[in-house]
Amino acid sequence: MNEKKIVSNKIADDLQPVSMYQMFARMFAHLAKEVVDEFGEKGAEAIKRGVWNFGVERGESVAKRAFARGKPNDSDNYLVSYDMDRSDEFESTDSYHEGYVEQIFSRCVFASEFQKAGMEKYGILYCEMIDPAIAYGYNPNLKCIHDKHFFTDNMCTFCFKMEKCKGSEE
């Protein structure tokens, strides 16, 4: 018997793979669009609540990761305990200060995918909610200030500040 085995999880060498980040962004945009188109503002609010709940769950996981490393869930240990690998599809600079961390993204696959598809209106529902929710789940005293967005500023800026800590005054 002359059988030929085919490995089905391999893509052809001449095809560019689509990353899970790209697929996630596309899927989110399409789901959010359907919900918002069908239910209007109530749908948008439901999507934002879902993103918030997802983010809080992730933040709780990040706190467990910090704890597993023997570290407190403060601003210094937030990004280093994060639950999502940073692929080359993201590019950021992190600056640590007493009581807060600043993060500037110059590349984000999620924003790029939302923009390529003309789905910024739906992508922003994710972008505005996810990081504040993750920070809250990690530590309710860690506030996320997200001043600039790719859709308007061609970059994203974040400041993760611990409330009532030296250096965290606005």
Side-chain angles (χ1 to χ4, degrees), residues 48-65:
K48 291 190 325 190
R49 283 192 309 275
V51 172
W52 178 266
N53 293 333
F54 172 63
V56 169
E57 182 180 286
R58 282 188 57 201
E60 291 167 350
S61 174
V62 174
K64 288 176 185 172
R65 292 166 61 90

Side-chain angles (χ1 to χ4, degrees), residues 147-158:
D147 287 335
K148 294 185 179 181
H149 298 267
F150 275 102
F151 305 143
T152 54
D153 304 298
N154 206 32
M155 66 172 10
C156 268
T157 61
F158 298 93

Side-chain angles (χ1 to χ4, degrees), residues 103-155:
Q103 190 173 48
I104 301 171
F105 277 86
S106 55
R107 182 176 25 200
C108 172
V109 64
F110 296 147
S112 175
E113 289 298 315
F114 296 147
Q115 288 173 311
K116 279 194 277 186
M119 298 275 219
E120 296 96 324
K121 172 183 175 180
Y122 309 103
I124 197 73
L125 300 175
Y126 181 82
C127 295
E128 286 186 337
M129 299 301 291
I130 193 63
D131 289 287
I134 297 170
Y136 180 85
Y138 173 75
N139 184 329
N141 292 318
L142 185 65
K143 301 304 175 200
C144 173
I145 302 160
H146 188 184
D147 287 335
K148 294 185 179 181
H149 298 267
F150 275 102
F151 305 143
T152 54
D153 304 298
N154 206 32
M155 66 172 10

Side-chain angles (χ1 to χ4, degrees), residues 11-24:
I11 63 167
D13 290 338
D14 61 339
L15 299 177
Q16 180 66 30
V18 178
S19 75
M20 292 304 295
Y21 299 112
Q22 291 169 308
M23 286 188 211
F24 171 84

Side-chain angles (χ1 to χ4, degrees), residues 28-138:
F28 178 86
H30 284 284
L31 289 172
K33 181 181 185 320
E34 289 298 319
V35 171
V36 171
D37 288 356
E38 180 76 21
F39 301 105
E41 190 57 35
K42 284 184 123 177
E45 291 302 317
I47 292 288
K48 291 190 325 190
R49 283 192 309 275
V51 172
W52 178 266
N53 293 333
F54 172 63
V56 169
E57 182 180 286
R58 282 188 57 201
E60 291 167 350
S61 174
V62 174
K64 288 176 185 172
R65 292 166 61 90
F67 180 78
R69 293 172 54 244
K71 302 293 184 181
N73 61 337
D74 59 10
S75 60
D76 286 346
N77 293 296
Y78 178 60
L79 296 177
V80 296
S81 301
Y82 213 65
D83 63 341
M84 190 173 91
D85 285 335
R86 290 284 187 236
S87 77
D88 291 343
E89 296 175 282
F90 297 92
E91 189 173 285
S92 67
T93 303
D94 306 336
S95 302
Y96 286 79
H97 308 276
E98 191 171 338
Y100 68 102
V101 178
E102 293 176 311
Q103 190 173 48
I104 301 171
F105 277 86
S106 55
R107 182 176 25 200
C108 172
V109 64
F110 296 147
S112 175
E113 289 298 315
F114 296 147
Q115 288 173 311
K116 279 194 277 186
M119 298 275 219
E120 296 96 324
K121 172 183 175 180
Y122 309 103
I124 197 73
L125 300 175
Y126 181 82
C127 295
E128 286 186 337
M129 299 301 291
I130 193 63
D131 289 287
I134 297 170
Y136 180 85
Y138 173 75

